[in-house]
């Protein structure tokens, strides 16, 4: 996970999973019953469907890595769990004077943020597509962010060099996307 933007989040999940599944248990000793209990605990503690899936994604990725990279003879029992489907889409408009209050607050505290927020709202950009991320501690490079050289004025387009789902694209697909 070290190369992924979710590295920090996954680190927190691993700590929780270790505590919940038993820190002294070996990967090969975990059973379907353990995963069922984990699923029930997450549900009981009111974790969202998306969070439940994220925890199980960490487990299935770990099992896959152990089997493929370390040649560890293990069966991925976490992969077969039926989990709730997330309903995490948000579709809403401003209520009352929300937009005015947001813009007023930004004008007072962070006026430089206004164009970023306006562009995000208009184009549905993610933060990382517009604003550069922190420097990677290993490489010293920053990722993401819109750059002047990525604006093609003659065609009224923006070239986003990196998107959230780039890692799932096939080698024949280009990374990032063009936005009119």
């Amino acid at each position: 996970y070290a190369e992924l933007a979710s590295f920090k989040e996954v680190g927190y999940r691993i700590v929780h999973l270790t505590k919940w599944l038993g820190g002294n248990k070996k990967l090969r000793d975990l059973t379907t019953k353990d995963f069922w209990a984990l699923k029930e605990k997450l549900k009981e503690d009111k974790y969202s469907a998306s969070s439940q899936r994220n925890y199980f994604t960490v487990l299935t990725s770990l099992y896959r890595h152990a089997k493929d990279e370390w040649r560890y003879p293990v069966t991925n029992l976490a992969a077969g769990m039926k989990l709730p489907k997330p309903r995490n889409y948000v579709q809403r408009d401003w209520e009352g004077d929300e937009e005015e209050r947001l813009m007023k607050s930004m004008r007072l505290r962070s006026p430089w943020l206004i164009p970023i927020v306006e562009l995000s709202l208009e184009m549905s950009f993610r933060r990382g597509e517009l604003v550069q991320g922190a420097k990677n501690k290993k490489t010293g490079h920053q990722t993401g962010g819109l750059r002047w050289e990525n604006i093609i004025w003659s065609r009224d387009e923006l070239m986003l060099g990196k998107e959230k789902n780039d890692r799932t694209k096939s080698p024949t697909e280009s990374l990032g996307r063009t936005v009119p």
Side-chain angles (χ1 to χ4, degrees):
Y1 281 100
E3 306 85 39
L4 301 179
S6 60
F7 175 71
K8 205 180 241 183
E9 286 178 42
V10 171
Y12 297 129
R13 288 189 188 113
I14 290 171
V15 171
H16 293 150
L17 288 168
T18 303
K19 184 174 119 188
W20 294 333
L21 292 170
N24 296 326
K25 269 194 176 176
K26 293 180 180 173
L27 195 59
R28 67 174 171 240
D29 294 337
L30 293 171
T31 65
T32 304
K33 191 174 180 180
D34 293 317
F35 295 126
W36 185 262
L38 172 62
K39 178 181 159 184
E40 291 302 310
K41 178 183 183 13
L42 292 169
K43 185 177 172 185
E44 180 183 303
D45 289 351
K46 298 190 182 345
Y47 279 83
S48 69
S50 181
S51 291
Q52 291 178 44
R53 285 180 171 274
N54 288 338
Y55 276 105
F56 275 88
T57 297
V58 170
L59 288 167
T60 57
S61 297
L62 174 62
Y63 274 101
R64 193 177 321 111
H65 187 82
K67 185 177 178 186
D68 296 344
E69 298 296 323
W70 302 333
R71 303 290 184 231
Y72 194 66
V74 67
T75 302
N76 188 351
L77 299 174
M81 298 299 296
K82 293 225 183 235
L83 300 167
K85 292 194 186 319
R87 295 175 182 249
N88 56 358
Y89 59 87
V90 176
Q91 187 174 351
R92 72 185 280 283
D93 265 327
W94 299 106
E95 292 181 14
D97 65 343
E98 274 183 324
E99 185 175 15
E100 292 168 33
R101 289 184 294 127
L102 174 66
M103 294 301 168
K104 181 180 177 183
S105 173
M106 284 190 299
R107 272 192 301 277
L108 293 172
R109 292 180 178 78
S110 308
W112 58 270
L113 198 56
I114 293 171
I116 295 169
V117 171
E118 287 176 340
L119 193 55
S120 293
L121 291 169
E122 287 294 322
M123 305 298 288
S124 300
F125 288 138
R126 291 182 175 88
R127 180 185 62 193
E129 293 172 338
L130 291 177
V131 180
Q132 235 178 22
K135 283 187 179 177
N136 180 310
K137 290 179 183 175
K138 290 182 183 176
T139 65
H141 293 103
Q142 287 180 295
T143 58
L146 182 62
R147 301 173 192 274
W148 284 110
E149 59 266 22
N150 294 49
I151 300 174
I152 302 142
W153 298 101
S154 60
R155 294 195 315 243
D156 293 330
E157 292 178 345
L158 299 175
M159 295 288 294
L160 298 175
K162 183 179 178 186
E163 328 180 66
K164 178 181 176 185
N165 67 344
D166 275 351
R167 65 184 174 82
T168 63
K169 291 182 177 179
S170 73
T172 58
E173 291 180 273
S174 62
L175 301 180
R177 73 179 193 269
T178 303
V179 182

